[in-house]
Amino acid sequence: MTSTAKAIAEHRGDELLRKEFKGVAVFVFWISGIINVLALTGSFYMLQIYDRALTSGSVPTLAALSALVIGLYLFQGVFDVIRSQLLVRMGARFDRMLAPIAHRVSVDMPRFGFSTGEALERGRDVDTIRTFMGSQGPVALFDLPWVPLYILFVYFLHPVLGAVTLGGAIVLALLTVWTELRSRKLASAAQQAQLTRNSIADSNARNADVIKAMGFSSRAVSRFNTANQDHLTLQTRASDVIGTFGAFSRVLRMVLQSALLGLGAYLTIQGQMSAGAIIAVSVAASRALAPIDMAIANWKGVVAARQSFKRLRDTMIALSGMVRPLELPAPAKSFKVDKITVAAPASGRVLLTEVGFELKAGQALGVIGPSGGGKTTLVRALTGIWPALRGSIRLDDADLTQWDEDKIGEYVGYLPQDVALLDGTIVENITRLAPQRDARAIVAATRAAGVHEMIVRLPDGYDTQLGPMGTSLSAGQRQRIGLARALYGDPFVVIMDEPNAFLDAEGEQALNLAIRQIRARDGIAIIVAHRPSILAEVDMVAVIQNGRMSAFGPKDEIVAGQRQANVNALKVVEPRARGRARALGAP
């Protein structure tokens, strides 16, 4: 993203947040002002009790003052409830707005090399902010701007007491700043340690079968425990810093209140203020320092919410910079790969260089080559999972980036090497969570994949719940349902990575039939394979090795060329082998 585009995206992201929350935040701010003004009721009540009701001995005056104060306290309570409910609803509104965006990013992050724990962190960020909005942290922050109101009240009772209260507030504010400076790095390090711990826990859970079967559970748990100890150490240090400063702030607040009482008593003895003013000063000063003290006590939540908000704001900025492309007509002519270079997103290492070819409607391409040569990388690039560093991939001459992400699924079917099914029903998996069930299209896809009979034999048929990752099915069954998902809706291009890895003879026959049907309806099939039986239905072959495409053309020519290359290799190898055998004394 260029600097200009980034600036525009930041403006859009900030503008969206301001539009959603500015009005509510201003309203809560003014409600906080009303609450803080009404909180002076106790101080005025003490002044009137000691300086008017007691000196006059009037019971009606005392009753009238008490009734008025009760009414004002009730108003304060009502406004306090309104503020609390507004803050909770602000958190819920924030969640409704950002949770889908955060989850969309969580879905995208793993394909760029992030761990599952890191990907899910955005969702936890939304939870952190929603929980924070319902805590006392926002209350303290909205009360902080009204602290000068209490200091002014104390100052009008006596300037010296006002100066002492102001000094105490400044000291507590500096203590808050110091808490922030000391805890910021520790909180960030603790967050990173938590991510590391969660990533290890997620990895252990996903590989539970292997860990159990190969007997290294203790070592896996020990690895998690080491990461957990690092997290706990940093978390404890951060909590110690915040807790220590919180204790100091409470002690300072009590010392300050006692000092105000003592100084007020001295000024009263000197005849410079009334006895009622002493109590009024104590109540007002306590209220003035309470938001600062509360902010320090909730500083851990403040820091966590600020970090979460920053990450979510960056997420919104990134997504607000995306432009929804114009909807293009369905592709029906060609699929072109123009000299693409692809690197692994996690490491940046180039895995595929200058690969290019073109397929017309009705053609099928078989991609062959040694393991680690770049075949799966090519598939990830063709499906848009990994972006190309250079070059382009085009459907009917339009680059993949010009197609709407939600729409392109109708035109491109994908069967990955490791089929992972969603935790849902068979229908939900095949239709890719489509809201409407097109029975004819569903059955057509399952028949093409040769899996319809297997599905209807299940107790719940197409409505069978597959469970997490579809583990209730065998690997072959998962692969055939994955194939049905790829074929659903008759996409123009169907890309399959090792589609026959777990298939039996019957499954391979169904797969070959599916490829034949794709070509018959003028679609395009791209198949990555090791086993040659899959090449029976393709008419074009590409050879990928060492990160490059070494050959591309009609199947007969490429296969004949590969056979000749193998023969030539044997002519070189056999004399060498015979020479070594003679050297070892073999006849």
Side-chain angles (χ1 to χ4, degrees):
M1 187 184 292
T2 64
S3 58
T4 303
K6 185 177 180 180
I8 293 173
E10 287 180 358
H11 174 72
R12 286 176 179 170
D14 291 342
E15 187 66 29
L16 180 59
L17 289 174
R18 280 196 296 268
K19 182 180 178 181
E20 287 290 328
F21 298 103
K22 182 180 178 181
V24 180
V26 170
F27 186 61
V28 173
F29 174 77
W30 287 113
I31 285 183
S32 298
I34 295 172
I35 291 171
N36 280 275
V37 169
L38 290 173
L40 289 170
T41 299
S43 298
F44 280 111
Y45 184 61
M46 293 303 168
L47 277 174
Q48 296 303 314
I49 289 293
Y50 282 91
D51 296 344
R52 177 172 297 183
L54 290 180
T55 55
S56 66
S58 172
V59 174
T61 300
L62 176 62
L65 286 172
S66 299
L68 177 62
V69 165
I70 290 172
L72 291 174
Y73 277 144
L74 288 175
F75 273 113
Q76 180 184 348
V78 169
F79 283 114
D80 220 342
V81 169
I82 292 173
R83 178 173 67 176
S84 175
Q85 292 183 353
L86 278 173
L87 288 172
V88 170
R89 281 158 178 76
M90 278 181 68
R93 186 175 179 180
F94 190 91
D95 192 311
R96 279 194 297 271
M97 184 180 76
L98 284 188
I101 298 174
H103 188 66
R104 187 181 187 92
V105 173
S106 298
V107 171
D108 271 344
M109 286 178 69
R111 67 188 180 95
F112 291 110
F114 293 92
S115 68
T116 306
E118 289 175 303
L120 295 177
E121 190 63 21
R122 294 299 183 275
R124 285 191 284 265
D125 286 336
V126 175
D127 293 338
T128 297
I129 293 177
R130 188 191 64 249
T131 303
F132 173 73
M133 294 301 292
S135 70
Q136 290 299 305
V139 173
L141 296 179
F142 275 107
D143 281 346
L144 279 173
W146 300 100
V147 168
L149 177 68
Y150 300 101
I151 296 175
L152 283 173
F153 177 79
V154 175
Y155 178 83
F156 284 129
L157 291 177
H158 199 283
V160 174
L161 297 178
V164 172
T165 305
L166 176 61
I170 291 174
V171 171
L172 283 174
L174 292 175
L175 201 58
T176 304
V177 174
W178 185 247
T179 302
E180 159 67 11
L181 295 176
R182 287 295 305 275
S183 63
R184 181 184 298 174
K185 288 184 178 179
L186 285 173
S188 178
Q191 178 75 11
Q192 190 58 46
Q194 184 181 21
L195 282 175
T196 302
R197 181 199 66 176
N198 292 345
S199 295
I200 292 174
D202 176 69
S203 176
N204 288 348
R206 283 188 290 106
N207 293 281
D209 291 348
V210 175
I211 291 172
K212 178 67 176 177
M214 303 186 73
F216 58 99
S217 299
S218 298
R219 293 191 293 276
V221 172
S222 177
R223 181 168 174 253
F224 168 81
N225 189 47
T226 300
N228 190 48
Q229 288 297 334
D230 292 340
H231 165 65
L232 290 177
T233 300
L234 290 167
Q235 189 72 30
T236 301
R237 288 172 60 189
S239 298
D240 284 347
V241 169
I242 295 173
T244 300
F245 286 116
F248 278 140
S249 71
R250 287 191 293 273
V251 170
L252 179 61
R253 183 179 168 190
M254 290 187 289
V255 169
L256 185 61
Q257 284 187 271
S258 298
L260 288 171
L261 285 172
L263 187 56
Y266 171 77
L267 294 173
T268 301
I269 293 172
Q270 296 296 316
Q272 298 184 29
M273 58 186 296
S274 65
I278 300 176
I279 308 300
V281 164
S282 178
V283 174
S286 174
R287 180 68 187 184
L289 301 178
I292 303 175
D293 192 35
M294 191 185 300
I296 294 175
N298 289 275
W299 200 251
K300 184 177 178 181
V302 172
V303 171
R306 188 187 64 240
Q307 290 176 338
S308 295
F309 183 80
K310 183 180 182 301
R311 284 191 292 268
L312 289 171
R313 178 179 175 272
D314 292 342
T315 298
M316 286 196 64
I317 288 171
L319 292 180
S320 62
M322 297 172 61
V323 179
R324 197 175 184 92
L326 178 73
E327 185 173 338
L328 299 174
K333 297 178 181 178
S334 64
F335 186 75
K336 300 177 183 177
V337 179
D338 185 15
K339 294 183 179 180
I340 60 169
T341 296
V342 185
S347 64
R349 187 167 67 91
V350 174
L351 302 177
L352 206 62
T353 305
E354 297 290 318
V355 172
F357 57 84
E358 180 178 353
L359 298 172
K360 300 292 186 181
Q363 289 188 313
L365 171 68
V367 181
I368 60 175
S371 297
K375 300 189 301 298
T376 298
T377 299
L378 175 62
V379 168
R380 287 172 176 161
L382 298 182
T383 52
I385 297 173
W386 284 2
L389 289 179
R390 291 187 297 275
S392 61
I393 301 165
R394 299 179 180 276
L395 278 169
D396 283 7
D397 294 323
D399 192 279
L400 283 184
T401 57
Q402 298 179 30
W403 297 87
D404 184 81
E405 184 177 332
D406 293 333
K407 199 71 177 174
I408 200 171
E410 298 179 13
Y411 313 134
V412 178
Y414 173 50
L415 177 64
Q417 189 172 13
D418 298 316
V419 179
L421 300 178
L422 300 174
D423 186 358
T425 65
I426 291 178
V427 165
E428 288 172 331
N429 275 274
I430 292 174
T431 61
R432 311 168 198 173
L433 303 179
Q436 302 296 328
R437 296 167 57 140
D438 186 343
R440 182 175 297 177
I442 294 168
V443 174
T446 55
R447 287 192 184 280
V451 75
H452 171 74
E453 288 74 15
M454 183 274 289
I455 293 174
V456 295
R457 284 197 297 267
L458 296 172
D460 295 320
Y462 279 88
D463 292 315
T464 299
Q465 289 285 342
L466 298 181
M469 307 294 288
T471 50
S472 61
L473 302 176
S474 69
Q477 289 173 325
R478 288 199 300 273
Q479 193 156 35
R480 290 169 76 171
I481 288 178
L483 176 59
R485 179 174 61 187
L487 297 174
Y488 176 75
D490 291 337
F492 176 58
V493 179
V494 179
I495 302 171
M496 296 174 270
D497 190 2
E498 296 289 347
N500 57 345
F502 301 104
L503 297 182
D504 53 18
E506 181 184 349
E508 285 205 9
Q509 288 177 4
L511 178 60
N512 286 326
L513 177 60
I515 297 171
R516 227 172 15 249
Q517 291 173 343
I518 293 170
R519 296 185 63 187
R521 60 176 172 80
D522 284 334
I524 292 174
I526 300 174
I527 305 99
V528 172
H530 278 299
R531 283 150 61 177
S533 58
I534 200 66
L535 300 180
E537 300 300 330
V538 306
D539 59 330
M540 305 292 289
V541 170
V543 182
I544 302 292
Q545 54 188 2
N546 299 322
R548 293 182 178 273
M549 189 170 71
S550 60
F552 172 78
K555 178 178 65 175
D556 295 339
E557 293 181 11
I558 300 300
V559 171
Q562 289 291 302
R563 287 189 186 131
Q564 187 60 46
N566 293 336
V567 169
N568 294 337
L570 284 173
K571 289 180 180 178
V572 173
V573 171
E574 284 179 357
R576 292 179 181 173
R578 285 196 295 268
R580 290 195 191 98
R582 292 193 195 98
L584 293 172

